[in-house]
């Protein structure tokens, strides 16, 4: 089968698609990956602090920092710290660890991460309807989290390393059993036998976070996705990096978000312009096609116009044809015997010009003109008559009603007098006399 060349418009669209795909991939390669770092939970010491009633929401950050300064054995500048706080909880969970301890476990460049949270924070926001102890394993640690009923902030966290070269489900379950044996007996908390095992995290386009867990219980496994329903500004208290860094990074991300929005708007505008250009090319092609069709139909249109012109002329000829004998019969029926015509002519389809003489003077001609005007078939009569040397001559211009100039008439037998003058080319009858 013969291969036909692609239409130019199709080739243009394919080229534009390739360019957009390439540019988009280059843009994606330049965007930094937004990964979340979960620091080992056993590296932190935690403190549950009740919130006084006189501390407002805007003062929570300063209250947590002040509380940590009093509880920490090290200067706050040497600590990586954060806290968990929610409106449904009357207390804070403050946590901290020396920065050099994080360096020893390979977490020295904390600035490259989108967020840095302690491993036990991946269940933050989840609540239970009863007091419960929940086990969570993240990044080589196993943690026991004490939750009071319907409160999303744990009131106590105990963490230990798993202590295995390979983090298998079996090693995690063994570490859970060992930690459970070390926990003091607390009658008011129910112990959940299962373990939440961290299985990845994801940062959404609005900077909110989701954490995937595997829940191991009684030899069975199920996947659980937990979403942080927090805005970007509400995630920074959980982050263990310095508040100064959080403030600077927050502004940078806000600027980046605005730039990204502007880029999306610019891309949408460019896409619309491309679509408009393609539409213009399509309309131009369609217009060229229509022009060629019009040019091909031009001879036929010319023939139709010529035919219409002929039809219009024939119609006007029929509607405005001169009927001289009918008009002559009309004026001749009213003519007195003493009046005779010497010349009759028509210069319009409804107007006769009559020249003649009267043997009984001008009064007879005037009465004749009045009788013509009184006729229903005649609209107007112009009477020019005069008497010279005892001879009365006249010229009448008789205008007939348009609809009265047609009809079947008997053509009278006219006798041409010997002294009749020749008429012009438009004269239709001469020397009409009974």
């Amino acid at each position: 089968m013969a291969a036909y060349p692609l239409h130019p418009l199709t080739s243009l669209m394919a080229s534009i698609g390739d360019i957009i795909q390439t540019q988009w991939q280059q843009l994606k390669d330049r965007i930094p990956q937004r990964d979340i770092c979960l620091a080992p939970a056993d590296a932190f010491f935690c403190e549950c602090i009740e919130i006084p009633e006189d501390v407002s929401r805007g003062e929570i950050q300063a209250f947590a920092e002040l509380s940590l300064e009093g509880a920490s054995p090290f200067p706050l500048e040497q600590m990586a710290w954060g806290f968990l706080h929610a409106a449904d909880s009357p207390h804070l969970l403050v946590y901290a660890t020396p920065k050099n301890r994080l360096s020893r476990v390979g977490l020295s460049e904390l600035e490259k991460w989108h967020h840095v949270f302690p491993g036990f924070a991946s269940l933050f926001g989840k609540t239970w309807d009863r007091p419960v102890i929940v086990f969570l394993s993240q990044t080589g640690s196993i943690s026991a989290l004490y939750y009071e009923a319907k409160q999303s902030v744990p009131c106590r966290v105990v963490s230990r390393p798993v202590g295995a070269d390979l983090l298998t489900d079996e090693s995690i379950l063994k570490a859970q059993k060992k930690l459970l044996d070390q926990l003091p007996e607390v009658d008011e908390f129910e112990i959940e036998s299962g373990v939440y095992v961290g299985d990845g995290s994801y940062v959404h386009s609005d900077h909110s976070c989701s954490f995937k867990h595997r829940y191991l219980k009684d030899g069975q496994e199920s996947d659980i996705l937990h979403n942080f329903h927090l805005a970007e500004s509400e995630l920074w208290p959980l982050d263990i990096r310095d508040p100064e860094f959080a403030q600077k990074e927050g502004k940078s991300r806000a600027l980046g978000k605005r730039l990204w929005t502007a880029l999306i708007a610019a891309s949408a505008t460019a896409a619309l312009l491309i679509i408009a250009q393609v539409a213009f090319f399509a309309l131009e092609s369609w217009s060229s096609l229509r022009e060629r069709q019009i040019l091909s139909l031009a001879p036929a249109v010319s023939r139709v116009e010529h035919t219409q012109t002929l039809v219009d002329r024939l119609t006007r000829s029929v509607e405005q044809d001169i009927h001289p004998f009918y008009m002559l019969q009309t004026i001749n029926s009213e003519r007195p015997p003493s009046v005779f015509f010497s010349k009759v002519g028509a210069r319009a389809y409804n107007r006769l010009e009559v020249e003649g003489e009267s043997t009984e003077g001008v009064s007879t001609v005037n009465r004749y003109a009045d009788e013509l005007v009184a006729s229903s078939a005649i609209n107007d009569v112009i009477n020019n008559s005069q008497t010279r040397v005892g001879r009365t001559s006249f010229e009448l211009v008789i205008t007939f009603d348009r609809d009265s100039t047609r009809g079947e008439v008997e053509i009278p037998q006219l006798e041409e007098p010997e002294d009749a003058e020749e008429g012009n080319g438009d004269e239709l009858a001469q020397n009409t006399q009974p």
Side-chain angles (χ1 to χ4, degrees):
M1 181 180 294
Y4 295 95
L6 292 175
H7 191 275
L9 187 59
T10 304
S11 301
L12 176 62
M13 291 294 293
S15 300
I16 293 174
D18 293 340
I19 293 174
I20 293 176
Q21 184 67 25
T22 302
Q23 294 296 326
W24 179 252
Q25 187 60 44
Q26 292 178 357
L27 180 61
K28 289 177 64 178
D29 294 340
R30 294 179 181 179
I31 298 176
Q33 295 296 321
R34 296 184 294 186
D35 295 328
I36 295 177
C37 174
L38 293 176
D42 59 285
F44 294 86
F45 69 90
C46 303
E47 187 76 22
C48 182
I49 303 174
E50 294 293 327
I51 304 175
E53 293 182 358
D54 58 347
V55 176
S56 64
R57 184 180 181 86
E59 298 172 336
I60 295 294
Q61 176 83 24
F63 173 72
E65 185 173 357
L66 182 63
S67 301
L68 184 60
E69 284 181 342
S72 173
F74 303 99
L76 203 59
E77 294 78 11
Q78 301 178 12
M79 306 293 289
W81 65 278
F83 63 93
L84 299 180
H85 168 67
D88 59 9
S89 178
H91 60 264
L92 299 175
L93 182 71
V94 182
Y95 44 85
T97 185
K99 294 179 181 179
N100 56 7
R101 185 173 182 182
L102 293 178
S103 300
R104 288 197 297 269
V105 297
L107 297 178
S108 57
E109 298 179 2
L110 299 181
E111 293 78 8
K112 68 178 183 180
W113 300 94
H114 190 73
H115 278 299
V116 182
F117 302 142
F120 56 78
S122 63
L123 287 178
F124 177 60
K126 190 174 179 60
T127 61
W128 285 262
D129 57 359
R130 65 195 186 282
V132 66
I133 298 176
V134 178
F135 291 94
L136 171 64
S137 177
Q138 288 277 19
T139 59
S141 298
I142 183 78
S143 301
L145 290 81
Y146 290 68
Y147 284 95
E148 296 180 351
K150 298 181 180 179
Q151 293 188 11
S152 57
V153 177
C155 60
R156 184 182 181 187
V157 177
V158 179
S159 302
R160 298 290 185 271
V162 173
D165 296 334
L166 295 177
L167 293 177
T168 62
D169 292 347
E170 182 180 359
S171 63
I172 292 174
L173 292 174
K174 287 182 179 180
Q176 178 213 15
K177 185 176 183 306
K178 183 177 180 181
L179 177 59
L180 181 59
D181 294 338
Q182 296 174 358
L183 295 179
E185 294 184 4
V186 184
D187 296 335
E188 63 269 22
F189 287 90
E190 179 182 340
I191 297 175
E192 274 205 358
S193 58
V195 181
Y196 292 89
V197 180
D199 196 25
S201 60
Y202 183 74
V203 180
H204 301 274
S205 59
D206 61 350
H207 297 283
S208 62
C209 305
S210 296
F211 294 91
K212 185 178 179 182
H213 301 86
R214 293 185 299 115
Y215 187 62
L216 305 178
K217 183 178 181 180
D218 300 331
Q220 296 182 352
E221 177 182 326
S222 59
D223 293 333
I224 297 176
L225 182 66
H226 177 61
N227 297 316
F228 275 15
H229 299 288
L230 299 174
E232 171 73 7
S233 58
E234 296 174 320
L235 288 172
W236 283 112
L238 283 70
D239 200 300
I240 64 175
R241 292 171 290 188
D242 297 335
E244 294 78 11
F245 173 83
Q247 185 177 7
K248 178 181 177 182
E249 184 69 11
K251 292 181 180 179
S252 176
R253 291 180 186 179
L255 177 60
K257 187 175 182 180
R258 290 194 294 270
L259 293 176
W260 177 255
T261 303
L263 177 61
I264 294 297
S267 301
T269 303
L272 290 176
L273 290 176
I274 292 173
I275 293 173
Q277 188 68 25
V278 172
F280 173 76
F281 287 149
L283 288 175
E284 191 175 44
S285 301
W286 181 81
S287 178
S288 300
L289 176 62
R290 299 297 293 174
E291 287 180 358
R292 290 194 295 270
Q293 291 177 345
I294 291 172
L295 291 176
S296 66
L297 293 175
V301 173
S302 179
R303 289 194 296 269
V304 171
E305 290 178 347
H306 182 65
T307 303
Q308 184 64 38
T309 301
L310 292 179
V311 170
D312 293 341
R313 289 179 179 176
L314 289 174
T315 301
R316 287 197 301 270
S317 177
V318 171
E319 291 179 350
Q320 300 181 358
D321 197 8
I322 299 175
H323 300 271
F325 293 108
Y326 176 80
M327 292 188 291
L328 185 60
Q329 181 184 22
T330 300
I331 65 174
N332 195 48
S333 62
E334 305 289 341
R335 182 177 59 83
S338 60
V339 174
F340 62 91
F341 302 151
S342 59
K343 182 187 298 184
V344 178
R347 299 185 183 274
Y349 75 98
N350 65 338
R351 188 169 67 244
L352 283 180
E353 298 178 2
V354 180
E355 297 180 11
E357 296 181 359
S358 172
T359 59
E360 294 183 357
V362 175
S363 59
T364 303
V365 175
N366 292 338
R367 286 195 302 273
Y368 174 51
D370 294 339
E371 292 176 355
L372 291 178
V373 171
S375 175
S376 60
I378 297 175
N379 288 337
D380 185 36
V381 176
I382 300 175
N383 179 14
N384 294 319
S385 56
Q386 60 183 348
T387 300
R388 290 181 182 179
V389 194
R391 183 179 179 183
T392 301
S393 61
F394 62 87
E395 295 180 358
L396 300 178
V397 179
I398 306 168
T399 303
F400 287 78
D401 182 71
R402 175 173 178 173
D403 295 331
S404 66
T405 59
R406 304 170 187 172
E408 297 289 338
V409 298
E410 295 182 0
I411 300 176
Q413 300 294 330
L414 300 179
E415 295 181 358
E416 185 177 350
E418 294 180 356
D419 59 347
E421 298 180 359
E422 282 188 14
N424 296 329
D426 58 352
E427 295 174 355
L428 302 177
Q430 294 182 352
N431 300 332
T432 302
Q433 185 174 354

